[in-house]
Amino acid sequence: MGNKEKFFEHLEQGYAMKGDYITVGAGMLDGETLTNAFVKVPLKTMNRHGLIAGATGTGKTKTLQVLAENLSDKGIPVLLMDLKGDLSGIAQPSPGHPKIDERQEKIGLPFEAKGFPVEILSLSEQGGVRLRATVSEFGPVLLSRILDLSVTQEGIVAVIFKYCDDNKLPLLDLKDFKKVLQYATGEGKDEFQKAYGRISTSSTGTILRKVIELEQQGADLFFGEKSFDVDDLTRIDENGRGYVNIIRLTDIQDRPKLFSTFMLSLLAEIYATFPEQGDSDRPELVLFIDEAHLIFDNASKALLDQIESIVKLIRSKGIGLYFVTQNPTDVPDEVLAQLGLKIQHALRAFTAKDRKAIKLTAQNYPITEFYDTAEVLTSLGTGEALVSALDEKGRPTPLAATMMRAPMSRMDILSDSEIKDVLDNSKLIKKYNEEIDRESAYEILTEKIERAEKEAEKEKEEKSTSRRSSSRRSTRMNPVVKVLTSATFIRGVLGVLKKVIR
C-alpha cells in the first residue's frame, strides 16, 4: 500500500462519524489534495470549544465563515464578533468564481451558493440591534473584575449593591452607580456608616475614576435599558436555519475594555440563563470571537480567572466558544487547554522569536507519521490549514493538512443599501432600539438629596425666625415696670413724699 493510500485510509477511519457533522475540507499530503479524503467536525463535540489561528491573509476569516454558515444550515444559531467589518457578506450568496469551482472539485464537494439569515447587532451608535445590560444584572463581582478593583474596593462595591437592594434603588446605568457612590461618602455618609460601617472617601474616589475610564471607552452606551435577552440569539428562521448574529465592532477596536466588558457579561448571562444540556448531540449556540487577543492582552489576573472559569463551565450548557487570533500564544495556556478543535493556518517565521513560537505551536497537535508539523506550519498556502478535532468519543482525530472548502456566501462586506435592507427586516430592532430612562437610583437619590436640602433650609429659616422673635420679646419692657420707672411717676411720688415730710 502506497503512502497516499495509507494516509487516505488513516483519515477515513479517523473521521468516520455516526452522528451529524460538518465537512471542512479534504486532507493533503506532500502538497497534493486527496479528493474525498474528507476532514470532518462532529456536531456532538462542537461545544468543546476551538481555536482558529494563523498569520494575516492565510484564510482565518473564511474558515470562520465556513463553520458559521454550515452550523446555520444544520439549524444551529451562531454569534460572530465582526471587528474588521468583513463578515456581513454571509447574508448574500457567493457570486461564484472559477477558482472556487476548482477548489471544490479537488476536495470532492459540489459548490452551492447561498445566503443565510442574518441579524446585525451593535454595541455602539452604529446601525443594528442595540445590545445593553443594566448594572444590576452585571452584579458586584463581575463589575469589580472589569474595573480591576482591590479586595477593599470590591467590598465597597458589594455594599453599594446591598444598599440599593435594601432601599429598592434600581441600578440601571453607570450614572446610577456613580450617584450612589458619591452619596455614600457625601450626604448619605451617616446613613451608610450606621448600617454598613465607615466607607473611605479615597477608595470611593479610586472606584469613581475607574468607572469614568470605562465610560470613556463607550460603556455608558452599553449599560442601561432595555436589556438584551440572550434567548434572542437562538432564533431559527422559517426554513429551519439558525440565525447568524453579527455584532458590528469595527469602531471599538481601540476600546478593549468595552469589548472585554461586553464579552464577559454576555458569557456570564448565557451561563446563568441557559439550562444544563449534559452530553447532547449538538450545541445550542456557537460563538466566534475574532481578534481574541483584545480580550486577553489587557485583562487583569482576576478577569482572566473569570474567563477561564466560564470557558470550563459553559460547555455543559451546550455553548461552543471559538477564538480567532493570529497566534495560539495570544490565548492563555489555561484557556488553550480547554479547546477541542484546532484549525491552524500558516505561520510565518521572520524572526527567531517566530521560529520558537512555531515549535511551541507544533507541540499542541497530535503526533503523526505523515508530517513534520513545524515544517508544514510554514509551508501551508492560503485557504489551507492543519486540522485536529475531537471525535464523537472525545478523542483527538488524526492531524490533517487540509484544503479548506470555500464559503457558500459572499466573501465581502454588504453595501450600505444591503445593510439597510437587513436592518429594515429585523424583528429585534423594534424590540431593543427604543431608549428607556425610567426612574432609577440617580433620580431617586437626587430627589432625596433635594428634599433633605429643602427641609434643612426650612428648618434653618424657622430657627432664624424663632431667634428674631425671642430677641424682640427680650427687648420689650413690661408695662407695669414701664409705668413704675417712668419720669412722671417718679416725680409724682417725690411730690407726695415732700408734702408728707412737711
Side-chain angles (χ1 to χ4, degrees):
M1 183 185 291
N3 205 32
K4 288 183 182 178
E5 289 79 9
K6 186 179 178 183
F7 179 65
F8 189 98
E9 186 178 318
H10 177 62
L11 292 187
E12 199 169 43
Q13 292 175 355
Y15 286 95
M17 307 288 173
K18 292 181 180 179
D20 207 352
Y21 56 85
I22 291 172
T23 301
V24 296
M28 302 170 63
L29 188 66
D30 300 327
E32 182 184 341
T33 304
L34 304 187
T35 305
N36 297 327
F38 296 129
V39 177
K40 309 167 187 172
V41 181
L43 293 185
K44 187 179 177 68
T45 61
M46 285 211 74
N47 66 331
R48 300 291 183 94
H49 314 318
L51 173 74
I52 302 171
T56 300
T58 54
K60 298 189 300 296
T61 302
K62 302 303 174 275
T63 295
L64 183 161
Q65 194 170 337
V66 164
L67 290 176
E69 59 189 23
N70 278 276
L71 285 165
S72 175
D73 245 359
K74 301 287 184 183
I76 299 168
V78 175
L79 178 64
L80 307 179
M81 313 291 164
D82 189 7
L83 276 101
K84 297 190 291 288
D86 52 1
L87 289 173
S88 59
I90 203 168
Q92 294 291 331
S94 167
H97 195 278
K99 287 187 176 180
I100 293 178
D101 295 333
E102 183 185 343
R103 175 180 289 265
Q104 294 300 112
E105 188 177 343
K106 285 182 179 178
I107 294 170
L109 287 173
F111 179 69
E112 181 185 4
K114 59 169 102 171
F116 296 84
V118 163
E119 192 73 67
I120 294 177
L121 315 174
S122 175
L123 268 178
S124 63
E125 293 177 337
Q126 281 188 310
V129 179
R130 290 293 299 276
L131 294 172
R132 295 188 187 92
T134 66
V135 174
S136 289
E137 288 169 335
F138 230 67
V141 175
L142 208 52
L143 187 61
S144 297
R145 294 283 189 274
I146 288 296
L147 296 175
D148 192 19
L149 302 181
S150 67
V151 175
T152 301
Q153 291 158 358
E154 282 183 26
I156 291 173
V157 171
V159 166
I160 296 294
F161 275 78
K162 180 71 168 64
Y163 173 79
C164 291
D165 288 341
D166 292 346
N167 293 274
K168 295 181 172 55
L169 298 176
L171 276 176
L172 304 181
D173 51 30
L174 292 178
K175 181 177 63 174
D176 293 327
F177 182 76
K178 289 194 298 181
K179 189 67 178 180
V180 183
L181 198 62
Q182 291 163 340
Y183 180 76
T185 52
E187 296 86 348
K189 181 179 179 181
D190 294 338
E191 182 184 353
F192 265 83
Q193 188 164 338
K194 184 178 178 182
Y196 311 104
R198 183 176 173 274
I199 292 179
S200 165
T201 53
S202 61
S203 293
T204 56
T206 301
I207 298 170
L208 190 59
R209 285 191 294 274
K210 293 195 175 186
V211 171
I212 291 170
E213 179 191 346
L214 195 60
E215 280 183 318
Q216 292 299 310
Q217 295 209 11
D220 53 331
L221 290 172
F222 172 63
F223 286 103
E225 291 187 307
K226 183 175 185 182
S227 296
F228 187 81
D229 185 351
V230 291
D231 282 337
D232 282 328
L233 296 174
T234 61
R235 293 185 306 144
I236 307 294
D237 77 350
E238 62 276 5
N239 298 314
R241 298 183 301 173
Y243 263 87
V244 179
N245 303 283
I246 301 173
I247 305 180
R248 301 174 76 184
L249 299 171
T250 53
D251 59 341
I252 70 163
Q253 290 188 39
D254 58 344
R255 292 180 277 175
K257 198 85 170 178
L258 176 60
F259 183 57
S260 57
T261 298
F262 162 70
M263 275 309 307
L264 198 53
S265 70
L266 178 70
L267 295 177
E269 183 68 15
I270 288 173
Y271 179 72
T273 305
F274 280 46
E276 288 285 337
Q277 291 292 317
D279 196 18
S280 62
D281 291 331
R282 53 194 285 125
E284 288 294 305
L285 176 68
V286 176
L287 287 75
F288 291 89
I289 304 171
D290 201 2
E291 303 295 336
H293 64 275
L294 290 179
I295 295 181
F296 302 112
D297 281 356
N298 299 307
S300 64
K301 178 67 167 63
L303 187 57
L304 287 175
D305 289 344
Q306 191 81 17
I307 294 171
E308 183 189 340
S309 297
I310 289 176
V311 169
K312 286 179 180 177
L313 298 171
I314 204 169
R315 73 178 183 85
S316 66
K317 305 282 186 165
I319 309 300
L321 294 176
Y322 288 77
F323 299 97
V324 185
T325 189
Q326 290 196 16
N327 199 304
T329 56
D330 294 336
V331 180
D333 290 342
E334 295 80 4
V335 175
L336 202 59
Q338 304 297 320
L339 309 182
L341 172 64
K342 294 185 177 73
I343 300 178
Q344 178 65 61
H345 288 270
L347 292 174
R348 305 301 180 214
F350 297 116
T351 66
K353 185 178 179 181
D354 292 338
R355 288 191 289 274
K356 185 177 180 181
I358 288 169
K359 287 182 180 179
L360 290 173
T361 300
Q363 293 171 13
N364 290 324
Y365 291 89
I367 296 172
T368 174
E369 62 180 285
F370 297 100
Y371 302 116
D372 179 337
T373 306
E375 184 180 328
V376 171
L377 278 173
T378 59
S379 62
L380 292 166
T382 301
E384 300 172 0
L386 281 174
V387 178
S388 176
L390 295 178
D391 67 14
E392 291 163 316
K393 294 184 179 180
R395 301 168 301 192
T397 57
L399 180 63
T402 306
M403 171 72 74
M404 304 297 289
R405 66 186 294 179
M408 296 178 277
S409 55
R410 188 196 295 175
M411 292 186 278
D412 198 2
I413 62 174
L414 298 181
S415 66
D416 291 341
S417 60
E418 288 171 329
I419 288 177
K420 185 178 182 301
D421 289 341
V422 173
L423 298 180
D424 288 344
N425 293 321
S426 170
K427 294 179 180 178
L428 296 184
I429 280 185
K430 296 174 184 176
K431 181 177 179 180
Y432 291 109
N433 282 31
E434 179 188 357
E435 287 198 25
I436 301 171
D437 189 14
R438 63 186 173 97
E439 187 179 60
S440 55
Y442 179 85
E443 288 79 13
I444 294 171
L445 280 181
T446 299
E447 185 181 339
K448 183 177 180 179
I449 292 168
E450 287 175 354
R451 193 166 56 245
E453 287 175 349
K454 285 179 182 177
E455 288 175 0
E457 188 65 30
K458 185 178 178 182
E459 187 178 336
K460 185 178 178 181
E461 286 180 5
E462 287 176 353
K463 286 182 178 179
S464 178
T465 303
S466 176
R467 282 197 299 271
R468 286 197 300 271
S469 176
S470 174
S471 176
R472 281 196 299 271
R473 284 196 300 270
S474 64
T475 56
R476 190 182 300 131
M477 190 173 288
N478 189 301
V480 176
V481 175
K482 188 175 182 181
V483 170
L484 291 175
T485 57
S486 66
T488 305
F489 180 79
I490 292 170
R491 282 196 300 272
V493 171
L494 289 175
V496 172
L497 286 174
K498 281 180 182 180
K499 289 179 181 179
V500 172
I501 292 169
R502 285 179 186 158

